[in-house]
Amino acid sequence: MFFGGLAIFLFGIKYMGDGLQKVAGDKLRDMLDKFTSNPVMGVITGITVTVALQTSTGTTVLAIGLVNAGFMSLRQAIGVIMGANIGTTVTAFIIGLNIADYALPILAVGTLLIFFFKNKKANNFGQVFFGFGALFYGLNLMGDGLRPIREVEAFADLTVSMSQNPMLGVLIGTIFTVSVQSSTAAIGLLQQLFAEGAIGIDAALPVLFGDNIGTTITAVLASLGASLAAKRAALTHVIFNVVGTVLVLIIIQPYISFIVFLQDALELNARMTIAWAHGIFNVSNVLIQLPFVGVLAFIVTKLLPGRETVIEYKAQHLDPTLITQSSSIALTQAKRETLRMGELSVQGLHESAQFVRTNQNRHAELANQFEDAINNLDKKITEYLTKISTNSLSANDSRLHSMLMDTVRDIERVGDHMENIVELKEYQITNKVKLSESAVEDLEQMFTLTISTLEEAMEALDHDDNEKARSAILKEEEIDKMERQLRKKHIRRLNDGLCDGSAGIVFVDMISNLERIGDHSVNIAEAVTEET
């Protein structure tokens, strides 16, 4: 009964968090981007996003992504992580509310919204309600399953040991949280044990602090093999929670007495008592360590030295005031941003080639980040150019405007094909599809030619160089010819039994995507020859 209840409880948390994320859409990421100008704002935003997601790990992962993208500094991310620690206490307060009797009606409301409404928004709210109801229903089952544990002598001895040795409680809390990969579940279980009288307050609070350390292990595991920024953010989370736990263990007896006093003074039920203990601990920890955000950032940078690859998603040259002042200068700035977008596409294509060559995930991650940056710049540059078009443009400016609109679209399509290549390689790895040595060499050759063509097209655009543009056009003809030859070679390999059908699909789709990148490169080059 306990394990079934725990399963439903975990499902409820996850399902409710997913539903809340769907309801919020991209607003959470935008919120993290816009409202983290300083650590205090970062804390407030971290609280808000964690309450919406119902997971501090999810907020930390979002923050890490924004650090990688150059939208957020490590110092800002530390503020968000601190806020996430406060935000995660809200679930404990919700559990503390005595609404378990309404779990089944809440589940029914969720089911109604999911199955009897065709509206997507209603379905998303239904998911939130269903997850919320499942959380309390699972908690009820856990409580019923845990009731007999009070009579188990070994468990009674363990709680006595935890009361006498708080470090044991911290260790047990850490291990359990790591096991279930959710501090919310671990604290929910602790609230239930305390409510059933199976554990006393002096044993429960050290376990609570251990739960806080355990939740950082999830972030550490998520950062393994990830970027340096991810590792630094995860280490910050660990240091922050370990320091908080050490500080509270120094004054553990006065803290226990304070919580007991609060329980009596506010007439709190058992679950709400744990929620208050959790909330006060995390808020105090943030208030104590918030002034030392710079010190934390310095420590993790020293512990994990190195230079992080930061991809600048944000537009750097698009000044909106220039649109009204001088269309010609605004177009020059739009061209500079378009060139930067083109450079990102070249770098992304290099990363996808490296992924195909080495099978190393970091190249796939970087390629996808470059593609995200390209999509973002596509939107920003197109909006900027659209605003410029409302002005009266000279014949030359009008031609440049038209060329930039076309070029931005071509670069965006290069990003899409680059992403397709990464997905094909991931399919190959997942399905253990083996390419022959001959096929790998052919791909290497075509990647080299395609990257060279794209680079030459961007150089032609940068310097209005007709010679470079014509060279890119000639290289694209070589790409077309190479694609036809490689297809024929592939058919021969199939006939000779050197390649199987799955490998053939991966190979043909990859060279097809490279050929399409060549087409978009030649579009950019031809636009330059027409412009000059």
Short mmCIF file of all heavy atoms in Angstrom, two decimals, residues 228-259:
data_model
loop_
_atom_site.label_atom_id
_atom_site.label_comp_id
_atom_site.label_asym_id
_atom_site.label_seq_id
_atom_site.Cartn_x
_atom_site.Cartn_y
_atom_site.Cartn_z
N LEU A 228 30.11 23.26 -18.81
CA LEU A 228 30.76 23.79 -17.62
C LEU A 228 29.78 24.64 -16.82
O LEU A 228 29.77 24.59 -15.58
CB LEU A 228 31.98 24.62 -18.04
CG LEU A 228 32.89 25.15 -16.92
CD1 LEU A 228 33.47 24.01 -16.11
CD2 LEU A 228 34.01 25.99 -17.52
N ALA A 229 28.93 25.41 -17.51
CA ALA A 229 27.93 26.25 -16.83
C ALA A 229 26.97 25.38 -16.01
O ALA A 229 26.60 25.72 -14.89
CB ALA A 229 27.15 27.07 -17.85
N ALA A 230 26.56 24.24 -16.58
CA ALA A 230 25.66 23.32 -15.89
C ALA A 230 26.32 22.77 -14.63
O ALA A 230 25.70 22.70 -13.57
CB ALA A 230 25.27 22.18 -16.82
N LYS A 231 27.58 22.40 -14.77
CA LYS A 231 28.32 21.85 -13.62
C LYS A 231 28.47 22.90 -12.52
O LYS A 231 28.33 22.60 -11.33
CB LYS A 231 29.70 21.35 -14.06
CG LYS A 231 29.66 20.09 -14.93
CD LYS A 231 31.08 19.58 -15.19
CE LYS A 231 31.08 18.28 -15.97
NZ LYS A 231 30.77 18.44 -17.38
N ARG A 232 28.77 24.13 -12.92
CA ARG A 232 28.94 25.21 -11.93
C ARG A 232 27.63 25.50 -11.20
O ARG A 232 27.61 25.69 -9.98
CB ARG A 232 29.45 26.48 -12.62
CG ARG A 232 30.94 26.42 -12.94
CD ARG A 232 31.36 27.65 -13.73
NE ARG A 232 32.80 27.64 -13.99
CZ ARG A 232 33.40 28.45 -14.85
NH1 ARG A 232 32.69 29.31 -15.55
NH2 ARG A 232 34.70 28.39 -15.02
N ALA A 233 26.52 25.53 -11.94
CA ALA A 233 25.21 25.79 -11.33
C ALA A 233 24.85 24.66 -10.35
O ALA A 233 24.34 24.91 -9.25
CB ALA A 233 24.14 25.92 -12.41
N ALA A 234 25.12 23.41 -10.75
CA ALA A 234 24.82 22.26 -9.88
C ALA A 234 25.68 22.31 -8.62
O ALA A 234 25.18 22.05 -7.51
CB ALA A 234 25.08 20.96 -10.64
N LEU A 235 26.97 22.67 -8.77
CA LEU A 235 27.86 22.76 -7.60
C LEU A 235 27.41 23.88 -6.66
O LEU A 235 27.48 23.73 -5.43
CB LEU A 235 29.30 23.00 -8.07
CG LEU A 235 30.38 23.06 -6.98
CD1 LEU A 235 30.42 21.77 -6.16
CD2 LEU A 235 31.76 23.34 -7.56
N THR A 236 26.93 24.98 -7.23
CA THR A 236 26.40 26.08 -6.42
C THR A 236 25.24 25.59 -5.56
O THR A 236 25.15 25.91 -4.37
CB THR A 236 25.90 27.23 -7.34
OG1 THR A 236 26.97 27.67 -8.15
CG2 THR A 236 25.36 28.38 -6.52
N HIS A 237 24.36 24.81 -6.19
CA HIS A 237 23.19 24.25 -5.48
C HIS A 237 23.65 23.39 -4.30
O HIS A 237 23.10 23.49 -3.20
CB HIS A 237 22.38 23.42 -6.49
CG HIS A 237 20.96 23.20 -6.09
ND1 HIS A 237 20.12 22.37 -6.78
CD2 HIS A 237 20.24 23.68 -5.07
CE1 HIS A 237 18.94 22.37 -6.20
NE2 HIS A 237 18.98 23.16 -5.16
N VAL A 238 24.67 22.54 -4.53
CA VAL A 238 25.18 21.66 -3.47
C VAL A 238 25.77 22.49 -2.33
O VAL A 238 25.42 22.28 -1.16
CB VAL A 238 26.26 20.70 -4.03
CG1 VAL A 238 26.90 19.89 -2.91
CG2 VAL A 238 25.66 19.76 -5.07
N ILE A 239 26.66 23.44 -2.68
CA ILE A 239 27.32 24.26 -1.64
C ILE A 239 26.28 25.03 -0.83
O ILE A 239 26.33 25.06 0.40
CB ILE A 239 28.34 25.24 -2.28
CG1 ILE A 239 29.52 24.46 -2.88
CG2 ILE A 239 28.85 26.25 -1.26
CD1 ILE A 239 30.45 25.31 -3.73
N PHE A 240 25.31 25.62 -1.53
CA PHE A 240 24.27 26.42 -0.88
C PHE A 240 23.50 25.58 0.16
O PHE A 240 23.33 26.00 1.31
CB PHE A 240 23.31 26.96 -1.95
CG PHE A 240 22.10 27.65 -1.40
CD1 PHE A 240 22.21 28.91 -0.82
CD2 PHE A 240 20.84 27.06 -1.47
CE1 PHE A 240 21.09 29.55 -0.31
CE2 PHE A 240 19.73 27.69 -0.97
CZ PHE A 240 19.85 28.94 -0.39
N ASN A 241 23.07 24.39 -0.22
CA ASN A 241 22.28 23.56 0.69
C ASN A 241 23.11 22.92 1.80
O ASN A 241 22.64 22.77 2.92
CB ASN A 241 21.52 22.49 -0.10
CG ASN A 241 20.26 23.05 -0.75
OD1 ASN A 241 20.14 24.25 -0.90
ND2 ASN A 241 19.35 22.19 -1.14
N VAL A 242 24.35 22.53 1.48
CA VAL A 242 25.22 21.93 2.50
C VAL A 242 25.56 22.97 3.56
O VAL A 242 25.51 22.69 4.77
CB VAL A 242 26.50 21.33 1.87
CG1 VAL A 242 27.52 20.97 2.94
CG2 VAL A 242 26.15 20.09 1.04
N VAL A 243 25.91 24.19 3.13
CA VAL A 243 26.22 25.27 4.08
C VAL A 243 25.02 25.55 4.98
O VAL A 243 25.16 25.68 6.21
CB VAL A 243 26.67 26.56 3.33
CG1 VAL A 243 26.71 27.76 4.28
CG2 VAL A 243 28.04 26.36 2.71
N GLY A 244 23.82 25.62 4.38
CA GLY A 244 22.60 25.85 5.17
C GLY A 244 22.38 24.76 6.21
O GLY A 244 22.03 25.04 7.37
N THR A 245 22.59 23.51 5.80
CA THR A 245 22.40 22.37 6.72
C THR A 245 23.41 22.42 7.87
O THR A 245 23.05 22.20 9.03
CB THR A 245 22.51 21.04 5.95
OG1 THR A 245 21.50 21.00 4.95
CG2 THR A 245 22.36 19.85 6.88
N VAL A 246 24.67 22.72 7.54
CA VAL A 246 25.72 22.81 8.59
C VAL A 246 25.36 23.91 9.60
O VAL A 246 25.45 23.70 10.82
CB VAL A 246 27.10 23.10 7.95
CG1 VAL A 246 28.14 23.45 9.01
CG2 VAL A 246 27.58 21.88 7.14
N LEU A 247 24.88 25.06 9.09
CA LEU A 247 24.52 26.17 9.98
C LEU A 247 23.38 25.80 10.92
O LEU A 247 23.42 26.10 12.11
CB LEU A 247 24.13 27.40 9.15
CG LEU A 247 25.27 28.11 8.39
CD1 LEU A 247 24.71 29.22 7.51
CD2 LEU A 247 26.31 28.67 9.34
N VAL A 248 22.36 25.11 10.38
CA VAL A 248 21.20 24.78 11.22
C VAL A 248 21.53 23.64 12.20
O VAL A 248 20.98 23.58 13.30
CB VAL A 248 19.96 24.45 10.35
CG1 VAL A 248 20.00 23.03 9.80
CG2 VAL A 248 18.67 24.66 11.15
N LEU A 249 22.45 22.75 11.82
CA LEU A 249 22.84 21.67 12.74
C LEU A 249 23.58 22.21 13.96
O LEU A 249 23.53 21.62 15.04
CB LEU A 249 23.71 20.62 12.02
CG LEU A 249 22.98 19.66 11.06
CD1 LEU A 249 23.96 18.74 10.36
CD2 LEU A 249 21.91 18.83 11.80
N ILE A 250 24.26 23.35 13.76
CA ILE A 250 24.97 23.98 14.90
C ILE A 250 23.98 24.42 15.97
O ILE A 250 24.27 24.36 17.17
CB ILE A 250 25.82 25.17 14.40
CG1 ILE A 250 26.96 24.67 13.50
CG2 ILE A 250 26.38 25.99 15.56
CD1 ILE A 250 27.68 25.76 12.72
N ILE A 251 22.78 24.86 15.51
CA ILE A 251 21.77 25.35 16.48
C ILE A 251 20.53 24.44 16.46
O ILE A 251 19.41 24.92 16.63
CB ILE A 251 21.37 26.81 16.16
CG1 ILE A 251 20.89 26.93 14.68
CG2 ILE A 251 22.51 27.77 16.40
CD1 ILE A 251 20.04 28.15 14.41
N ILE A 252 20.75 23.12 16.27
CA ILE A 252 19.62 22.20 16.06
C ILE A 252 18.63 22.19 17.23
O ILE A 252 17.43 22.22 17.02
CB ILE A 252 20.14 20.76 15.75
CG1 ILE A 252 18.98 19.82 15.41
CG2 ILE A 252 20.98 20.20 16.86
CD1 ILE A 252 18.34 20.05 14.10
N GLN A 253 19.15 22.17 18.47
CA GLN A 253 18.23 22.10 19.63
C GLN A 253 17.37 23.35 19.77
O GLN A 253 16.15 23.24 19.92
CB GLN A 253 19.02 21.80 20.92
CG GLN A 253 19.56 20.37 21.02
CD GLN A 253 18.50 19.31 20.75
OE1 GLN A 253 17.34 19.43 21.16
NE2 GLN A 253 18.88 18.25 20.03
N PRO A 254 17.96 24.57 19.70
CA PRO A 254 17.11 25.78 19.74
C PRO A 254 16.10 25.81 18.58
O PRO A 254 14.96 26.27 18.76
CB PRO A 254 18.12 26.93 19.62
CG PRO A 254 19.41 26.37 20.08
CD PRO A 254 19.39 24.93 19.73
N TYR A 255 16.51 25.31 17.40
CA TYR A 255 15.61 25.32 16.23
C TYR A 255 14.42 24.38 16.47
O TYR A 255 13.28 24.74 16.17
CB TYR A 255 16.37 24.91 14.96
CG TYR A 255 15.57 25.10 13.69
CD1 TYR A 255 15.29 26.38 13.23
CD2 TYR A 255 15.08 24.02 12.97
CE1 TYR A 255 14.54 26.58 12.08
CE2 TYR A 255 14.33 24.21 11.81
CZ TYR A 255 14.07 25.50 11.37
OH TYR A 255 13.32 25.69 10.24
N ILE A 256 14.71 23.20 17.03
CA ILE A 256 13.63 22.25 17.34
C ILE A 256 12.66 22.88 18.34
O ILE A 256 11.44 22.81 18.18
CB ILE A 256 14.20 20.92 17.88
CG1 ILE A 256 14.92 20.15 16.76
CG2 ILE A 256 13.09 20.05 18.49
CD1 ILE A 256 15.73 18.95 17.24
N SER A 257 13.21 23.52 19.38
CA SER A 257 12.36 24.17 20.41
C SER A 257 11.50 25.26 19.77
O SER A 257 10.32 25.41 20.11
CB SER A 257 13.24 24.79 21.50
OG SER A 257 14.07 23.81 22.07
N PHE A 258 12.08 26.02 18.82
CA PHE A 258 11.35 27.09 18.14
C PHE A 258 10.18 26.52 17.32
O PHE A 258 9.07 27.07 17.35
CB PHE A 258 12.31 27.87 17.24
CG PHE A 258 11.63 28.91 16.39
CD1 PHE A 258 10.97 30.00 16.95
CD2 PHE A 258 11.62 28.78 15.00
CE1 PHE A 258 10.35 30.95 16.14
CE2 PHE A 258 10.99 29.72 14.19
CZ PHE A 258 10.35 30.82 14.77
N ILE A 259 10.41 25.41 16.62
CA ILE A 259 9.36 24.80 15.80
C ILE A 259 8.24 24.24 16.69
O ILE A 259 7.05 24.38 16.37
CB ILE A 259 9.94 23.69 14.88
CG1 ILE A 259 10.92 24.29 13.85
CG2 ILE A 259 8.83 22.93 14.17
CD1 ILE A 259 10.34 25.35 12.94
#
